Amino acid sequence: MDQRNDRPLAQAVQEFEVSLVDMDPFFIHYTAYTIWMDRGFLHLLKTLGHPLHTLFAEGYGFPVVHCQLDFWEPAALDERVRLTTALVRLGRTSLTVRYDFARMEADGSLTPLARGESVHVYTQRATRQAHELPAWLRALAEGKSRAPTALPHEQHHQ
């Protein structure tokens, strides 16, 4: 079932403003992107109809086992960022998610800021053992299910 292609199996889009908590004395702090990636992953699961709190209640989770980021342009305070989170690969027990960050310019264009990727393993929480991906995810890879694509969703920083 290992699948990887250029077309995502599912994706979700969010828009938000860079806040002071995301900054260092100069620009965006690189750790803000990992927090945004986490929020993107949670939003994607919710879009797929399986929010993480439901998976936790069922005894499962998706810990990150690999994460990478490439940066092209800095983000600045009060700029609007669009995050597109895409499910790009399913393995037997893991999935790969891509995160594209872009600045929303005044003219409506998007300037790429960064791209990240994370690998999550579907894990039984009590035993911490990897478990085969659930049927609802396997159905995406097999083309038996068409995942919704979420429209931009406002997300506020606290």
Side-chain angles (χ1 to χ4, degrees), residues 11-66:
Q11 71 178 23
V13 178
Q14 295 170 280
E15 297 174 359
F16 52 88
E17 287 185 358
V18 177
S19 68
L20 190 57
V21 72
D22 302 319
M23 306 298 295
D24 66 18
F26 302 101
F27 291 109
I28 184 80
H29 195 273
Y30 72 95
T31 58
Y33 284 93
T34 58
I35 293 167
W36 295 344
M37 288 168 66
D38 183 60
R39 290 181 182 157
F41 182 66
L42 295 176
H43 184 60
L44 179 64
L45 289 175
K46 190 183 240 183
T47 299
L48 292 171
H50 297 273
L52 190 59
H53 71 269
T54 302
L55 296 173
F56 279 175
E58 295 169 354
Y60 294 93
F62 274 109
V64 174
V65 296
H66 176 76

Side-chain angles (χ1 to χ4, degrees), residues 45-97:
L45 289 175
K46 190 183 240 183
T47 299
L48 292 171
H50 297 273
L52 190 59
H53 71 269
T54 302
L55 296 173
F56 279 175
E58 295 169 354
Y60 294 93
F62 274 109
V64 174
V65 296
H66 176 76
C67 179
Q68 67 184 43
L69 279 158
D70 292 309
F71 304 97
W72 302 301
E73 293 282 331
L77 186 63
D78 295 330
E79 288 183 331
R80 290 209 50 84
V81 174
R82 176 174 284 186
L83 167 57
T84 303
T85 304
L87 178 59
V88 295
R89 179 187 164 276
L90 294 177
R92 189 178 67 77
T93 62
S94 67
L95 53 83
T96 303
V97 180

Side-chain angles (χ1 to χ4, degrees), residues 117-139:
E117 191 170 277
S118 60
V119 177
H120 302 254
V121 174
Y122 189 61
T123 305
Q124 194 168 31
R125 293 180 71 208
T127 65
R128 298 183 182 175
Q129 297 297 309
H131 196 276
E132 188 171 330
L133 290 176
W136 58 269
L137 276 171
R138 290 193 313 268

